[in-house]
Amino acid sequence: MTQEQLLAMIVQKEERAYTHMYNMYSKSLFAVISNMIKDKEEAEDVLQESFVKIWKNIDSYTESKGRFYTWILNVTRNTAIDKLRSKGFNNSKKNLPSDNFVHLLEDSSRMTYRIDAIGLRDFVKKLKPKCIEIINLLFFKGYTQQEASDELGIPLGTVKTQNRNCINDLRNFLQV
């Protein structure tokens, strides 16, 4: 099934399209979510919520503005960021048991695999060090541009400009 056929089926709300879309994209989207949300169950919830948003909001996707995968990646990343910023999520993480931290340390060795699951690590490594830092903060850690500005100690406008330039560089690497 081509992406165009899948999109047509999603727009028509054919049930099998949801399953097909999930099978095509769930692993790579889960890798992005897992990089931001360490708790596996929470990450799975965000993945499911993302697919529901994609399904319900397919009419807001415009092919002329970008690829379908880029759009669903943004929907997913924004859903994960919303989860991270939610009051309920933050309150639930205030008093974690110590065994949870051991689990996080054990999982850190698999973090590289999660990022590689969508195949971006090699391309990001080719960028300038400042780009690597900005993309890491904005896309992999879920920082806002203002938070990245504060973290890096540079003006917000500079972060926005560098982010745009870095994304363009990344696009050029991906088109080769």
Side-chain angles (χ1 to χ4, degrees):
M1 174 180 304
T2 67
Q3 185 171 309
E4 291 78 23
Q5 291 170 325
L6 176 63
L7 281 170
M9 289 171 60
I10 295 170
V11 168
Q12 296 300 318
K13 302 293 186 206
E14 292 182 30
E15 287 183 32
R16 66 187 176 115
Y18 187 91
T19 302
H20 193 73
M21 178 179 62
Y22 188 88
N23 291 337
M24 281 180 70
Y25 299 111
S26 62
K27 288 181 183 175
S28 59
L29 296 179
F30 187 73
V32 171
I33 296 166
S34 295
N35 208 24
M36 297 170 69
I37 298 176
K38 308 306 180 210
D39 182 85
K40 185 179 178 188
E41 288 180 15
E42 293 282 351
E44 288 171 348
D45 287 345
V46 169
L47 179 66
Q48 189 62 37
E49 186 178 336
S50 298
F51 275 105
V52 169
K53 283 184 180 181
I54 292 164
W55 185 259
K56 286 183 177 179
N57 298 310
I58 191 66
D59 294 336
S60 68
Y61 168 67
T62 307
E63 189 175 351
S64 64
K65 291 184 180 179
R67 294 178 28 216
F68 178 67
Y69 181 75
T70 305
W71 181 74
I72 66 172
L73 186 62
N74 283 328
V75 170
T76 301
R77 193 176 73 81
N78 290 340
T79 303
I81 290 169
D82 290 346
K83 182 66 162 184
L84 287 170
R85 291 183 181 158
S86 72
K87 188 175 182 178
F89 181 79
N90 287 323
N91 286 341
S92 72
K93 300 301 173 200
K94 285 188 178 173
N95 294 315
L96 293 174
S98 61
D99 62 331
N100 199 36
F101 294 103
V102 173
H103 171 70
L104 291 176
L105 291 173
E106 290 170 355
D107 270 359
S108 66
S109 64
R110 296 189 312 211
M111 193 60 64
T112 302
Y113 170 74
R114 288 184 190 149
I115 294 169
D116 274 344
I118 60 171
L120 286 179
R121 181 173 283 291
D122 291 336
F123 292 106
V124 172
K125 284 182 181 177
K126 294 178 183 179
L127 297 172
K128 297 174 265 183
K130 195 54 132 179
C131 285
I132 293 170
E133 192 172 24
I134 286 175
I135 287 175
N136 185 43
L137 291 175
L138 294 176
F139 294 94
F140 293 125
K141 292 188 176 177
Y143 281 43
T144 64
Q145 290 181 336
Q146 181 63 55
E147 291 167 340
S149 169
D150 296 342
E151 177 76 19
L152 298 171
I154 58 177
L156 177 60
T158 303
V159 169
K160 290 180 178 184
T161 301
Q162 287 182 351
N163 180 41
R164 184 175 51 252
N165 292 339
C166 294
I167 294 300
N168 285 334
D169 290 346
L170 190 57
R171 278 190 188 119
N172 290 335
F173 285 136
L174 293 170
Q175 290 177 353
V176 172

